């Protein structure tokens, strides 16, 4: 089954919840596509009827509903229902959710999915506390939207600032909570910016940022590192207007101005996740290149992607089975190569290897 968009996941959960409720009453639930598209606009999660039709087409293409995807994309009114495979799964999953959780049918359907994604490891007492917290947060809306998602999560969900973002989106939506509506506070990144920077070097790890500052790379390059609570470089580049720069060397430049410098490179660990980080960053900074510092890293034999090297949980990427951490670069090499870009052909080959089936090693 293909990966669904967040809105399609929310609609899928809604349809499965409605189907399960009707099944409990001995009825077969089907929908008129035109009526359903209007309801998805008025009741959420879709903002327009056009978007609702596209979501229904996405569900049809993914085998969730039985209907021609092309007809739905062209907004043809027809009767649709859940596919046989989905109906069979729901029937097999129709185990009553513990009544003490106090969930309605839609919430219970989303809760079952969350159980399959790890929530089943929680004690029933903690599940009750989570359900109570989600209801309390929903009751505090819209005022609670004035806080950040981290703050709201810590205040309402078992004292955890990260739980609201970590929960499956359909479960959060089932309680009427829109994660995108919470306030976005300014974020802080660690930076070292000379008066007249020649280019921008994005650095994945704080230890390597400190090394670059110590050997003098920051005398000619603007250095940026992820730093601070709940922040990633990808998020910083996507919303530069919300970012404030901190560091020993003050700068009058904003992050948006630094992103406009003529050359921008990224230096992180040489492993699948490091390259995926680069790919995410390039979505906000299309001219971004891999740093020339990757060349000597690729010449090293490296380490296995294993729990003992801190890489045990990495998602595989093609045939990538080894990695090299950026801290392996010595001072002299860092000073010599920082600011340059890796050979473009090698960069393309590495990125292609992330999504390729297993084959000859791309490492090196």
């Amino acid at each position: 089954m293909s990966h669904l968009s967040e809105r399609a996941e929310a609609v899928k959960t809604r349809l499965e919840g409605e189907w399960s409720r009707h099944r409990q009453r001995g009825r077969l639930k089907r929908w008129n596509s035109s009526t359903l598209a209007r309801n998805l606009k008025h009741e959420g999660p879709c903002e327009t009827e056009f978007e609702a039709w596209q979501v229904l087409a996405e569900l049809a293409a993914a085998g969730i509903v039985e209907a021609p995807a092309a007809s739905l994309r062209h907004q043809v009114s027809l009767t649709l229902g859940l596919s046989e495979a989905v109906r069979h799964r729901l029937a097999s999953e129709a185990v009553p959710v513990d009544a003490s959780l106090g969930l309605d049918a839609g919430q219970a359907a989303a809760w079952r999915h969350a159980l399959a994604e790890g929530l089943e490891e929680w004690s029933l007492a903690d599940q009750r506390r989570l359900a109570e917290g989600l209801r309390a947060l929903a009751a505090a809306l819209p005022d609670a939207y004035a806080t950040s998602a981290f703050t709201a999560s810590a205040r309402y969900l078992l004292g955890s600032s990260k739980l609201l973002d970590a929960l499956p989106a359909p479960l959060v939506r089932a309680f009427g909570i829109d994660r995108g509506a919470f306030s976005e506070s300014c974020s802080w990144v660690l930076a070292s910016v000379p008066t007249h920077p020649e280019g921008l070097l994005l650095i994945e790890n704080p230890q390597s940022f400190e090394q670059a500052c110590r050997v003098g790379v920051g005398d000619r390059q603007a250095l940026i590192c992820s730093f601070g609570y709940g922040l990633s470089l990808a998020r910083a580049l996507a919303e530069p207007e919300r970012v404030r720069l901190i560091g020993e060397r003050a700068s009058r430049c904003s992050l948006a101005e630094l992103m406009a410098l003529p050359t921008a490179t990224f230096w992180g660990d040489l492993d699948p996740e490091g390259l995926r980080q680069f790919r995410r960053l390039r979505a906000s900074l299309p001219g971004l290149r891999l740093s020339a510092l990757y060349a000597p890293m690729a010449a090293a034999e490296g380490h296995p992607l294993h729990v003992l090297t801190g890489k045990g949980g990495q998602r595989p990427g093609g045939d990538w089975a080894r990695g090299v951490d950026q801290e392996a670069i010595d001072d002299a090499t860092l000073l010599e190569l920082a600011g340059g870009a890796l050979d473009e052909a090698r960069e393309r080959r590495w990125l292609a290897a992330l999504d390729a089936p297993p084959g000859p090693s791309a490492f090196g």
Side-chain angles (χ1 to χ4, degrees):
M1 185 179 297
S2 59
H3 177 71
L4 297 176
S5 66
E6 184 171 329
R7 284 192 170 86
E9 285 284 2
V11 173
K12 171 176 171 284
T13 300
R14 168 178 170 158
L15 298 183
E16 290 181 354
E18 291 183 6
W19 185 90
S20 296
R21 287 197 298 273
H22 280 72
R23 181 180 181 276
Q24 291 173 359
R25 300 167 188 164
R27 304 172 185 170
L28 176 62
K29 177 61 178 175
R30 298 177 69 81
W31 297 266
N32 174 270
S33 56
S34 298
T35 303
L36 180 56
R38 287 194 297 271
N39 290 342
L40 292 176
K41 172 193 173 185
H42 294 305
E43 302 169 12
C46 299
E47 297 180 359
T48 65
E49 284 192 36
F50 176 78
E51 183 179 66
W53 282 103
Q54 299 309 301
V55 166
L56 293 177
E58 181 182 353
L59 293 177
I64 305 301
V65 299
E66 290 180 336
S71 298
L72 293 173
R73 278 193 289 269
H74 289 90
Q75 302 185 22
V76 175
S77 183
L78 48 80
T79 299
L80 56 85
L82 295 179
S83 68
E84 182 179 358
V86 173
R87 296 197 307 269
H88 178 75
R89 175 177 58 79
L90 291 176
S92 65
E93 291 177 350
V95 178
V97 173
D98 195 284
S100 66
L101 296 176
L103 306 177
D104 64 29
Q107 293 167 352
W111 203 275
R112 289 189 186 93
H113 286 288
L115 289 172
E117 295 182 26
L119 193 59
E120 79 278 2
E121 298 175 6
W122 285 36
S123 69
L124 182 57
D126 279 339
Q127 290 188 45
R128 290 194 195 104
R129 292 174 62 206
L130 176 58
E132 291 165 1
L134 287 168
R135 281 191 290 268
L137 175 54
L141 300 176
D143 292 346
Y145 285 140
T147 68
S148 71
F150 293 108
T151 299
S153 183
R155 290 179 181 176
Y156 291 94
L157 306 183
L158 289 77
S160 170
S161 62
K162 300 178 178 64
L163 187 51
L164 181 60
D165 187 57
L167 288 171
L171 178 59
V172 176
R173 287 185 179 274
F175 284 82
I177 301 167
D178 180 1
R179 285 192 296 214
F182 288 95
S183 174
E184 287 283 356
S185 58
C186 289
S187 301
W188 299 85
V189 297
L190 192 59
S192 177
V193 184
T195 304
H196 302 292
E198 299 173 2
L200 173 64
L201 176 60
L202 302 176
I203 302 176
E204 182 180 358
N205 297 323
Q207 294 85 354
S208 295
F209 174 86
E210 185 278 331
Q211 181 190 13
C213 292
R214 176 172 50 78
V215 302
V217 175
D219 293 339
R220 64 180 191 273
Q221 296 282 319
L223 308 178
I224 295 291
C225 180
S226 63
F227 184 82
Y229 170 58
L231 179 70
S232 70
L233 277 174
R235 178 179 172 187
L237 295 191
E239 301 178 304
E241 71 282 355
R242 295 188 179 276
V243 173
R244 301 294 181 266
L245 306 180
I246 59 173
E248 291 184 352
R249 179 175 291 183
S251 172
R252 295 180 180 178
C253 298
S254 67
L255 179 58
E257 290 171 326
L258 296 179
M259 290 169 64
L261 287 170
T263 60
T265 54
F266 170 75
W267 177 37
D269 293 342
L270 178 53
D271 54 35
E273 284 307 313
L275 294 177
R276 290 189 184 101
Q277 168 81 322
F278 167 72
R279 209 156 52 177
R280 287 191 293 269
L281 295 173
R282 204 165 56 175
S284 299
L285 192 53
L288 187 66
R289 296 285 306 283
L290 286 175
S291 170
L293 292 163
Y294 278 101
M297 293 169 67
E301 185 174 356
H303 54 255
L305 302 180
H306 185 267
V307 64
L308 293 178
T309 61
K311 307 295 178 68
Q314 277 211 14
R315 180 162 53 95
D319 60 348
W320 287 89
R322 305 185 70 80
V324 177
D325 293 345
Q326 64 181 130
E327 291 87 349
I329 292 294
D330 61 72
D331 291 354
T333 303
L334 174 56
L335 192 57
E336 176 188 357
L337 298 180
L342 185 71
D343 176 72
E344 194 167 5
R346 177 180 273 190
E347 178 182 297
R348 287 197 300 268
R349 187 170 72 250
W350 285 358
L351 295 179
L354 282 179
D355 303 315
S361 177
F363 189 84

